[in-house]
Amino acid sequence: MRQAVMTEPEMIEIREVAAPLPGPNEVLVRIRRIGICGSDMHVYHGAHVFTRYPVVQGHEFSGVVEATGEQVAHLKPGMKVTARPQVVCGECRPCRRGDYNICDSLKVQGFQAPGCAQELFVTAAERIVALPDTFTFEQGALVEPVAVAAHAVRRAGRVDGTNAVVLGAGPIGNLVAQIARASGANVLITDVSDFRLEIAQACGLQNTSNAGRETLADASRRVWGQDGFDLAFECVGIEDTITAAVENIGKGGTIVAVGVFPEKPRVDMAVIGDRELSLIGTLMYKHEDYLRAVELIGRGEVVTGPLETKHFPLNDYLSAYRYIIQQAGKCMKVFIDLGD
């Protein structure tokens, strides 16, 4: 079978390797779509500090069950599926209390463990999530980032009836905004890219603001008047956006830090204390977030079509990365195709 191996930053080899076989509690999946995300791009640039080369990437995927191990009874060949890419110990304190997404020994397939960038992929049956037959393979590959967003929104606590700002309209910010909306929030999404804001509007997010032309304070007043907002999701990962959230959110508000910060930001803790703000972190997802993602996509409450930008075959994996770089702000989600 074909396998894409990133041998070093900016270098990918397509190799012929033996097809894997599933163990007793494992599933063999024929991969159909792989999504490329921002973390994959960090690996491409050699900027992901927790990834070593060579590495088989791929953690956002959909496919079809090819075969199952002898102990797997609930999954059958031909079923559409995706799977969580988390490899956890099950023994550390976070795992024992059910927070395996922050396992002390967490490994993520595609980064610290081999990913799914190959024609056939074996994974544990417990990590498999079945997809409706009506799902496209693109929707299936997007379940992973939707689950990231679902977990982030769940971390916020009360969402229904809140005025919520999402800072950053990239794929994760877009999906966070959609799930916050589906959870009953009144949502405003901001970005410096008109293209991303147009995609947000195509997904039904009508309250948008270009942060390069309108301050968050002005946008908040335009949308909510003097009420302002009491919930914010930082989905960029830079000091300017976390500062805007802290300075403008209402007293007693909640800020969820979703973005990955490549540099340590300065945060005004005096303001956080004085206004009794809650600053909450979020990492990855749990199985229930995957199920929630499938449910919301299936009901049409999360719209994924406008996020689909371009497709590349497995043999052109490297071209997909170069396209993302060339397109910069004109790109949302690029897929690797391995058949229909």
Side-chain angles (χ1 to χ4, degrees), residues 10 16 206 250 307 312:
E10 302 184 15
E16 286 289 339
Q206 296 306 311
L307 276 68
F312 289 84

Side-chain angles (χ1 to χ4, degrees), residues 220-251:
S220 175
R221 277 191 295 270
R222 173 171 57 82
V223 175
W224 296 301
Q226 295 305 310
D227 284 348
F229 61 95
D230 37 21
L231 177 59
F233 297 90
E234 198 289 335
C235 299
V236 182
I238 61 173
E239 185 174 310
D240 285 350
T241 46
I242 195 70
T243 297
V246 170
E247 290 180 348
N248 291 283
I249 196 168
K251 289 185 176 182

Side-chain angles (χ1 to χ4, degrees), residues 109-130:
Q109 291 169 325
F111 300 93
Q112 301 84 34
C116 66
Q118 54 194 48
E119 291 178 299
L120 293 164
F121 178 63
V122 166
T123 191
E126 66 179 5
R127 294 198 289 267
I128 289 282
V129 175

